[in-house]
Amino acid sequence: MKLTFIGVGSAFALQNYQSNILIESQGRKLLIDCGSDARLALHRLGLGAGDIDALYVSHLHADHIGGIEWLGFSRYFSGGMRPELFIENRLAEMLWERSLRGGMASVQGRSMRLDDFFSAVHRLSPGGAFRFGSLGLRLFSTLHYFDCREPAPSYGLVIDVPPEAAMPETTGPRCRIVLTTDTQFCPDRLVGLYDSADVIFQDCETAPRRSGIHAHYEELCGLPASIRNKMWLYHYQDGPLPDATGAGFHGFVRQGQVFEF
């Protein structure tokens, strides 16, 4: 299993592209979110819309969905096999009605639906699970931002990498990865996931002014050392970065950085 950060920046970063991630397993590629910069970030790595076998959508901010129109139309008009979509059920309806329908509802006089742009739309429950290649992936709800007074749907991922075939006596995953996508700093809510993980990829603000919708670096520095020392930080702002390794973290992920598990 290979995990590539096609971008590591915040929503408004001018460097490093927005934080979208490519997962490869058994020769297939799953894109975790498709933000406004995704086509440029993929192009930098020598990839395009035709290389994406599936898409997972975590929530509706533009740095996570702003490139879906590009992906959908590119694959629709190419005439080839369209990608699969994995998305929480309520979020699927909101994605189409609130974000995509305005530009994608009609193609050459034909009325379109979300399902027309994907080979399959897998509508998942809030704690639902799916498989991609050899991997097991499970959604978990994050507290990110509010839709009026209600928490807007937003979902991170737990990714279980299976044991090697040469290790049949092994029980459970060979490696468990927690990918927060976007979340506020709420360790009480996430401590069970943090403790169960072998590796954590945590969104992290670094700007002096805190937005309140992402964990801030200074907040994360207060986590126990046992959590910090398995945590990589991403989704950060442009400019100088603090010494994360000196503070006990693995460090800040760099744009294009590859992890193999």
Side-chain angles (χ1 to χ4, degrees):
M1 178 262 199
K2 184 165 73 171
L3 189 154
T4 303
F5 279 79
I6 69 170
V8 292
S10 68
F12 311 120
L14 298 176
Q15 304 167 8
N16 299 315
Y17 298 119
Q18 295 163 342
S19 291
N20 302 161
I21 300 158
L22 192 66
I23 290 176
E24 298 179 59
S25 178
Q26 297 183 336
R28 302 183 73 226
K29 295 180 176 66
L30 169 67
L31 185 61
I32 306 297
D33 291 326
C34 185
S36 307
D37 296 346
R39 65 191 179 101
L40 301 176
L42 287 167
H43 180 72
R44 175 177 281 190
L45 299 176
L47 300 170
D51 295 297
I52 304 304
D53 298 295
L55 171 67
Y56 169 79
V57 174
S58 66
H59 66 285
L60 298 187
H61 279 153
D63 56 321
H64 296 262
I65 65 165
I68 296 179
E69 183 173 314
W70 158 77
L71 177 65
F73 278 140
S74 295
R75 296 296 289 274
Y76 182 84
F77 286 111
S78 73
M81 185 70 174
R82 298 166 199 170
E84 297 178 77
L85 174 63
F86 296 92
I87 186 170
E88 189 271 332
N89 183 54
R90 178 183 169 211
L91 200 56
E93 180 181 357
M94 295 171 66
L95 174 67
W96 179 251
E97 293 296 332
R98 298 188 183 186
S99 300
L100 299 181
R101 184 175 179 180
M104 302 180 76
S106 178
V107 174
Q108 298 173 330
R110 178 189 171 189
S111 179
M112 305 292 284
R113 302 172 301 122
L114 181 65
D115 300 67
D116 293 316
F117 293 98
F118 297 92
S119 61
V121 177
H122 304 280
R123 292 170 168 85
L124 307 166
S125 66
F130 64 98
R131 297 201 65 83
F132 184 79
S134 65
L135 307 175
L137 300 96
R138 177 171 55 85
L139 282 63
F140 65 91
S141 179
T142 67
L143 181 61
H144 180 32
Y145 67 106
F146 284 80
D147 183 357
C148 296
R149 296 185 178 182
E150 296 294 325
S154 183
Y155 299 92
L157 284 173
V158 176
I159 306 169
D160 283 336
V161 183
E164 296 176 1
M167 302 167 61
E169 72 284 359
T170 303
T171 58
R174 183 180 70 189
C175 178
R176 172 164 289 175
I177 302 160
V178 168
L179 179 66
T180 60
T181 63
D182 287 3
T183 182
Q184 297 178 22
F185 182 70
C186 44
D188 292 346
R189 184 186 181 112
L190 298 176
V191 64
L193 291 171
Y194 286 160
D195 287 342
S196 71
D198 298 295
V199 182
I200 303 164
F201 293 104
Q202 170 76 51
D203 58 310
C204 171
E205 284 188 339
T206 52
R209 182 177 180 181
R210 302 183 188 187
S211 71
I213 63 172
H214 292 280
H216 193 275
Y217 176 78
E218 293 177 359
E219 294 174 315
L220 294 169
C221 283
L223 291 172
S226 60
I227 294 175
R228 281 183 280 120
N229 64 26
K230 55 185 175 181
M231 185 174 278
W232 286 92
L233 308 176
Y234 74 106
H235 206 295
Y236 48 84
Q237 280 73 27
D238 293 343
L241 295 174
D243 180 11
T245 54
F249 299 97
H250 270 308
F252 284 96
V253 184
R254 300 296 177 174
Q255 191 272 326
Q257 189 167 349
V258 175
F259 298 83
E260 296 197 34
F261 299 93

